Amino acid sequence: MKKCVFAGTFDPPTTGHKNIIEQCLKIFDGVVVAVMINSDKVPLLSEEQRQALLKKMYKDDSRVKVIVFGGAAVDLLEKENTPFYVRGVRNTLDFEYENINYFASKKLKKDMVTIYIPSEQENLHVSSKLVRNSLKFGKDFKDCIPEEIYGDFVEMLEKNNV
């Protein structure tokens, strides 16, 4: 079975994230979606809430495994016994950022294979940061969140007093 890892903070999961996972499922037999713990970021949602949203999106698809992971991507690849690491890119800034991380990670895990999947045109503007900024300024963000989790996301925001 060929599987890949797609990791991120997913704070919150967006239509862009969903699209990348869907593309992975066309290439691989399985996708490990890893909610990464990033101590440099102050998240809107807890790791458990982000994991719950992603699990709901793929509740009927046994090819998708959603986990929470705190550590380096290379350690996650070792844990999941796969060299395939997928990164979504929207623009050249994303590409440059991902390439820097790729070269650093490749020194730690020589057999690592990074696959860049470009964003679909309708998702070029979509990011978790856009959703958080939309919340901050009271703007609509509904088209950025997958419809199957939109209601749950809004409930979590209310529960978190956001």
Side-chain angles (χ1 to χ4, degrees):
M1 179 173 122
K2 292 251 187 215
K3 69 178 175 179
C4 69
V5 167
F6 177 49
T9 51
F10 303 105
D11 189 38
T14 67
T15 54
H17 294 130
K18 181 180 178 184
N19 179 259
I20 298 298
I21 295 167
E22 299 296 325
Q23 297 302 316
C24 288
L25 290 170
K26 292 176 183 176
I27 302 167
F28 296 95
D29 301 315
V31 180
V32 177
V33 179
V35 175
M36 300 298 275
I37 299 169
N38 184 340
S39 60
D40 292 336
K41 293 184 178 181
V42 178
L44 182 65
L45 301 174
S46 71
E47 290 90 14
E48 294 77 17
Q49 287 174 316
R50 290 178 268 155
Q51 181 182 34
L53 290 172
L54 288 160
K55 279 186 173 183
K56 182 172 185 180
M57 284 171 51
Y58 293 96
K59 67 181 183 333
D60 297 324
D61 196 333
S62 61
R63 300 173 299 161
V64 178
K65 173 178 150 184
V66 181
I67 64 168
V68 173
F69 189 79
V74 293
D75 296 329
L76 176 57
L77 292 171
E78 285 294 321
K79 178 181 181 280
E80 292 300 327
N81 195 30
T82 183
F84 302 110
Y85 190 52
V86 170
R87 306 305 299 151
V89 292
R90 293 169 295 211
N91 53 41
T92 57
L93 293 175
D94 282 355
F95 180 77
E96 290 296 326
Y97 174 81
E98 295 300 341
N99 240 20
I100 290 167
N101 287 335
Y102 164 75
F103 289 117
S105 295
K106 190 77 172 173
K107 287 183 177 190
L108 300 172
K109 183 167 175 49
K110 302 241 183 285
D111 70 333
M112 178 179 178
V113 177
T114 300
I115 299 164
Y116 299 125
I117 297 181
S119 176
E120 295 294 330
Q121 188 170 10
E122 65 268 14
N123 289 320
L124 288 175
H125 70 288
V126 175
S127 69
S128 296
K129 185 174 185 174
L130 174 67
V131 173
R132 292 191 306 271
N133 283 340
S134 295
L135 279 166
K136 183 177 172 181
F137 296 110
K139 302 300 180 193
D140 182 44
F141 56 85
K142 191 169 187 172
D143 66 331
C144 298
I145 303 291
E147 65 181 69
E148 62 266 44
I149 63 168
Y150 181 80
D152 297 89
F153 175 59
V154 171
E155 281 181 32
M156 288 176 183
L157 292 174
E158 290 169 359
K159 184 187 259 186
N160 294 356
N161 295 316
V162 177

